[in-house]
Amino acid sequence: AAMRHLPYFCRGEVVKGFGRGSRELGIPTANFSEQVVESFPSDISTGIYYGWACVGNGDVHKMVLSIGWNPFYKNTKKSVETHIIHTFKEDFYGEILSIVIVGYIRPEKNFDSLEALISAIQEDIEEAKRQLDLPEHLKLKEDNFFHLPEGKIVNNH
Ligand code: ADP
Ligand code: MG
């Protein structure tokens, strides 16, 4: 069921998140606005996904993404947060983030400790890297979506 909407193409502005300290964990997540999140299929599963991401007209990088319940809205709304597997020199709030969600890794989980959370995310990142090297996933990196002018979003599946 998690795969029904995939691959899922999405583009939107990077907004300020809710200070959950992902950067302190060494895992910053670029948050989409509420408006972009609302445009997602309402029945898309929460959990951890992998795919490709590009900031502005920059290079396309591997990413892991979480679709979760947003504590800011008392868990009545979802949040969509992308961790790009690349080291950026600067923040990119306000820039346009383009992503294609390619595959599903696991559902959301609660962890007993910060260490357990961090190691789960590290495993997610390793899984994303492996999956995205497969030819059928690698080809989405070259998708025209990443080279089209803004606004032309086509969910072609
Ligand atoms: P916030 O709560 O505002 O989302 P985070 O701690 O999650 O704060 O950091 C997210 C911000 O970090 C992004 O909006 C982006 O500007 C910046 N950033 C830097 N490197 C990355 C990266 N590799 N992946 C995602 N965001 C990054
Ligand atoms: Mg964030």
Side-chain angles (χ1 to χ4, degrees):
M3 302 295 287
R4 183 169 54 233
H5 298 290
L6 307 186
Y8 189 79
F9 294 80
C10 176
R11 182 149 33 227
E13 192 182 334
V14 176
V15 302
K16 198 93 187 88
F18 309 97
R20 280 194 275 185
S22 42
R23 199 193 311 253
E24 285 80 84
L25 304 183
I27 310 154
T29 59
N31 294 51
F32 279 126
S33 69
E34 191 190 327
Q35 195 186 350
V36 170
V37 175
E38 301 265 286
S39 73
F40 272 60
S42 57
D43 63 343
I44 197 164
S45 303
T46 59
I48 310 301
Y49 294 80
Y50 59 85
W52 298 104
C54 154
V55 177
N57 299 319
D59 294 337
V60 181
H61 300 287
K62 293 174 177 176
M63 61 80 160
V64 289
L65 171 127
S66 104
I67 300 180
W69 292 105
N70 194 327
F72 187 79
Y73 295 101
K74 300 199 164 86
N75 300 333
T76 56
K77 292 187 179 189
K78 283 174 182 162
S79 72
V80 177
E81 308 188 13
T82 304
H83 172 68
I84 303 173
I85 305 173
H86 177 77
T87 303
F88 289 87
K89 290 205 185 77
E90 291 176 341
D91 286 349
F92 44 85
Y93 290 110
E95 300 234 27
I96 300 299
L97 174 65
S98 300
I99 63 167
V100 53
I101 308 172
V102 175
Y104 183 75
I105 300 178
R106 63 172 173 86
E108 285 188 284
K109 268 189 271 183
N110 286 318
F111 293 94
D112 296 335
S113 67
L114 203 56
E115 291 73 34
L117 170 64
I118 293 172
S119 72
I121 297 171
Q122 296 304 345
E123 282 171 31
D124 295 336
I125 290 170
E126 292 311 311
E127 175 70 5
K129 287 182 184 170
R130 276 194 301 272
Q131 290 288 337
L132 289 163
D133 278 335
L134 300 174
E136 75 249 46
H137 296 148
L138 214 43
K139 71 171 196 278
L140 280 162
K141 184 184 184 181
E142 312 301 332
D143 196 277
N144 272 337
F145 173 73
F146 290 116
H147 309 293
L148 288 171
E150 271 170 46
K152 294 196 179 173
I153 299 183
V154 186
N155 252 317
N156 49 355
H157 68 279

